[in-house]
Amino acid sequence: MTDRLGRPVIVVNTLTLRQHPDYGKFLMAHECCHHTLGHVANFKKELGHVGPQAFFYIAPELKRMELEADCCAVKLLRERHELDGIEAGRTAMALFGPRPTGAHYPTGMERAENILGCAAADE
């Protein structure tokens, strides 16, 4: 999200960061990537153009953006030698199994496989 002045903001549960620091690294990298890749700005800009049934039109984009942010997070963590963060992200997503990881998001299996594929591509 952005604040009222349009500055990037990331909102996370600090308990998650404290209790699961490796996953916290993945989560923060993933959320930073949404901003870096322009997802937040594009989402806000496009949402006003789709009418009252926004999710019908943007659901495929949400899935694509989540997978793209996961891959970006893998690259960022690999550059920082935070391999435990990558594995923690993959494990967290795998726990969802065949269920979506959020409204109109990819399934846990899709995200876990995507993270593995992105990690392998960077080797």
Side-chain angles (χ1 to χ4, degrees):
M1 67 172 40
T2 56
D3 68 9
R4 61 185 175 80
L5 299 176
R7 296 176 296 203
V9 175
I10 296 172
V11 179
V12 296
N13 182 333
T14 57
L15 190 59
T16 299
L17 301 180
R18 281 194 304 257
Q19 290 181 343
H20 307 283
D22 288 330
Y23 176 66
K25 291 173 187 174
F26 180 83
L27 179 62
M28 291 301 293
H30 170 95
E31 296 303 330
C32 286
C33 284
H34 277 307
H35 285 288
T36 303
L37 295 168
H39 294 166
V40 177
N42 289 341
F43 184 80
K44 287 183 79 165
K45 181 174 65 176
E46 295 301 318
L47 190 58
H49 300 275
V50 295
Q53 297 178 345
F55 282 104
F56 175 80
Y57 298 101
I58 62 172
E61 268 306 283
L62 288 174
K63 184 175 180 176
R64 183 194 62 76
M65 288 188 297
E66 285 305 300
L67 295 173
E68 190 176 53
D70 283 347
C71 202
C72 174
V74 167
K75 293 175 183 177
L76 179 63
L77 292 170
R78 181 172 294 287
E79 288 173 9
R80 298 181 51 84
H81 307 287
E82 298 283 357
L83 303 183
D84 289 343
I86 296 169
E87 180 55 22
R90 188 202 65 76
T91 300
M93 295 306 122
L95 290 175
F96 283 89
R99 295 183 321 274
T101 55
H104 307 288
Y105 282 12
T107 67
M109 292 183 336
E110 289 173 311
R111 289 182 74 175
E113 290 172 9
N114 181 58
I115 290 168
L116 275 179
C118 294
D122 285 347
E123 292 178 345

